[in-house]
Amino acid sequence: MSRFLLPLLVILALVGFISAEESTQTDWSSGPATAAPRTAFENGFTESSGISWLTIPGQMVLSSDPLETPVKHLIADGHDGAYGLYATDFDGDGDIDVIGTTDRSREVIIWFNSGTSPVTWTEHVVDNLYSGGTSIHPVDMDDDGDLDLVGAAQTPGNNVMWWRNEGGNPPTWTRLTIESNHPVACNLFVADIDGDGDPDVISTSWSGDYIAWWRNEGEGENWSRIMIDDQFPDAHSAFAFDADGDDDNDIVGTSAGSGEVALFLNDRGDGTSWTRQVIGTGMAGVRYATVADIDGDGLPDIAAAAANGQIRWWRNEGGSPVVWTEYSVDQSCFGGHYLIVDDLNGDGANDLLVAAWVTDSISWYIQDPSDPEGWERIEVESSFTDALTAFPADIDGDGDLDVVGTSPGLGEIAWWEITDFVPIGTLQSTVLDLGEHQGVNGIRWTASVPSESSLTLSVRSSDDPSNFGPWSPEFGSPVGMLLPWKRYFQYRIMMTSEGAHTPLLNEVTSFWNGPDGVRPAVPREIPATAD
């Protein structure tokens, strides 16, 4: 929840509830589920309209529509060759910070988000002698509970480094070398490749024509390089995921020289033997491939962007070996460099975000779930010189995703508001089987509700899960001691908004008395105060 909204919010918090039985839902990101009764809410629901449940797991907000003109905000300028980018809550204060590398001005920087409205930034230089930085990745490398940083560099740096967070406010750093001779490292990724529980590093060498990984020999102090493929011309990107469902990390990589997107299967699960499977060809200058469940079937799919203008995705059809079906998204996104998948408008279907240096653009492709090749292209920015990286994140904490990007030509790191909220949305929970009981009951939730918006809940119960009957009146605050529920129970959320903000729901709990007949206390509403 964004701190700057607090003066406008009503925080619905409950104290004093005592009940024998309860079920709490804090995540809806599994999406629509079967209507069959369940003994707990889990992470799904039965149906929704106008509700964003996938964009930011663990919260529910209204979905959104694209703005006719996205609103640009500058984070920083004067950083020659701004390149690598990552957005995350680095300091754990509840808002999104931005981490970047600069190729020519040799910097690794964190911009700490103030959490205010408008958002302001505090620039913290991690390293000002890191030449050629292209990629940055936060990870707790030494298992001490805070985030460290791992970076890759192209000419003249040609190395892979990590920076140990020594703590403090602001943090102090110790730079450690993973690899000092890795020619033109374009990209890196961090994942446990050998299955020993600690993070390893994967990277590509453009001029060395290879993709490799470095085994972490313990707390990031010692590293062993293991080759994955040394015949991979102009290797650009590497992304780790479990492609074949055998519970180890495989890797998808891109070869700009051969125009290939290839899958490298981790044969033994320890990263010492790899089988190469070519997924796509003919993507001249292919730069980046990434992985996400694009079609919502629960299997990881692959998407890639190429310099020749092509954006493609491959549907995972399952099987052993996995079968991939290729679809075209666009053929005119020239200079496509970086691609990432996320549900940018909260409609429940994953979209594509692409940065392209030839067209100086950041583009958003909205998916039509009924058509594998049905994508609507929306330009977030068309004059962001040499755009190299774009990343989705809720920068202003209002509940929808924004876009962060780097422009090496302008030396800028910027973010854009890209959507506005729809006016109304509803969601129905899964059906909860309460078992055999008699007695009182209630429902409570935790949410933030800005002015000019509303959030209400209704409930219903029945002894026949196929014939519920009418919903209860809408409750604007948690309630206890309703009429006794019957065996099967369901709740419904309704949200409305008349402005630029949305209600944000974090948690719903239904409670009822069990065989011992314990009664829940009456809830009271606690108004919000600024922190």
Side-chain angles (χ1 to χ4, degrees), residues 305-317:
N308 70 354
Q310 294 190 60
I311 310 293
R312 299 185 196 171
W313 76 281
W314 292 264
R315 182 165 62 198
N316 185 335
E317 307 287 1

Side-chain angles (χ1 to χ4, degrees), residues 88-111:
T88 189
D89 182 7
F90 189 86
D91 54 5
D93 65 352
D95 50 44
I96 299 296
D97 310 304
V98 173
I99 311 161
T101 64
T102 61
D103 179 356
R104 295 182 288 276
S105 57
R106 308 189 305 173
E107 299 156 317
V108 177
I109 298 175
I110 302 173
W111 290 273

Side-chain angles (χ1 to χ4, degrees), residues 160 178-179 182 187-205 210-217 222-229 238 240 249-251 264-274:
V160 181
I178 296 173
E179 174 65 70
H182 185 45
N187 175 259
L188 66 77
F189 196 84
V190 179
D192 181 9
I193 299 300
D194 54 1
D196 66 352
D198 57 26
D200 306 304
V201 174
I202 313 106
S203 189
T204 55
S205 171
Y210 65 80
I211 180 171
W213 72 282
W214 285 261
R215 182 166 54 211
N216 185 346
E217 304 290 0
N222 297 290
W223 300 86
S224 300
R225 185 173 75 177
I226 300 172
M227 194 64 64
I228 296 171
D229 193 323
N249 272 311
D250 310 299
I251 295 171
F264 299 91
L265 296 169
N266 190 346
D267 294 328
R268 299 172 185 159
D270 63 359
T272 59
S273 176
W274 301 85

